[in-house]
Amino acid sequence: FYSKNKIFSGKMVSRLYLTLLTLIIASQVWMVVNFSKYPITYFLNGVLSGRLRLSNTLYNDSNGFPIIFGLNVEPYLPIDFNFMKMFFSLGLIVSFVMLFFLIKAIRLKNYTPIGVVVLLIGLLSSFTESYFAVFFLNISLLFVFSKNEEV
């Protein structure tokens, strides 16, 4: 897998990133919406330190996801599901526009194997942490938006 000379195209990396992003968002939304319907979600809530219950409480109190305008999520903190926090605080339209531009930026570069690993680890960390959009903490975003043509 690792070779200093091996380069992955941005198009291939963006497809992989988009697939993983879709799986993470779909699983987070499913778990939050169906929190009290399935026994497995109670088990996952325990494994994830109560993150599901907090996100589900926000979801129920706000009657679903805000479409245009976000909500103040501070009374419901800590919500560590990054995309749930992003959807509620920014609204669905703004959140998906931001993710669209991130995918477009990923397509513009070529990636070394290490660059691909860093990018995917940054995305995977968003499953249980909410620092995905913080440039100082998420090095993968620095890779994507750096001036280098190849990372």
Side-chain angles (χ1 to χ4, degrees):
F1 175 75
Y2 182 72
S3 169
K4 288 184 180 181
N5 299 329
K6 188 163 185 155
I7 301 296
F8 297 100
S9 73
K11 189 174 184 178
M12 194 254 336
V13 173
S14 68
R15 285 183 189 153
L16 176 63
Y17 194 88
L18 184 59
T19 302
L20 192 56
L21 177 69
T22 303
L23 287 173
I24 289 172
I25 290 174
S27 65
Q28 286 182 356
V29 169
W30 183 86
M31 286 188 288
V32 167
V33 171
N34 296 306
F35 172 68
S36 60
K37 295 179 184 173
Y38 300 101
I40 188 71
T41 56
Y42 289 106
F43 170 75
L44 290 172
N45 185 53
V47 170
L48 296 171
S49 306
R51 289 176 173 93
L52 287 178
R53 183 185 52 78
L54 292 171
S55 296
N56 181 263
T57 301
L58 174 59
Y59 176 78
N60 289 332
D61 288 354
S62 63
N63 296 321
F65 295 103
I67 303 296
I68 298 173
F69 300 108
L71 305 169
N72 180 13
V73 296
E74 197 159 322
Y76 299 95
L77 294 179
I79 295 177
D80 286 338
F81 276 176
N82 175 73
F83 295 108
M84 294 303 98
K85 187 175 179 181
M86 189 167 91
F87 293 158
F88 282 110
S89 59
L90 298 177
L92 289 175
I93 292 174
V94 172
S95 298
F96 282 116
V97 167
M98 288 177 59
L99 291 172
F100 171 78
F101 283 118
L102 174 63
I103 298 295
K104 293 292 276 182
I106 290 171
R107 290 179 69 99
L108 297 176
K109 294 188 182 293
N110 292 317
Y111 297 88
T112 62
I114 296 297
V116 172
V117 168
V118 168
L119 195 63
L120 295 180
I121 287 174
L123 177 62
L124 287 173
S125 68
S126 70
F127 189 75
T128 58
E129 297 299 330
S130 62
Y131 64 79
F132 180 77
V134 179
F135 283 103
F136 296 112
L137 300 174
N138 191 348
I139 295 171
S140 65
L141 293 179
L142 291 174
F143 272 28
V144 171
F145 293 106
S146 70
K147 290 184 180 183
N148 297 340
E149 300 266 336
E150 185 178 296
V151 290

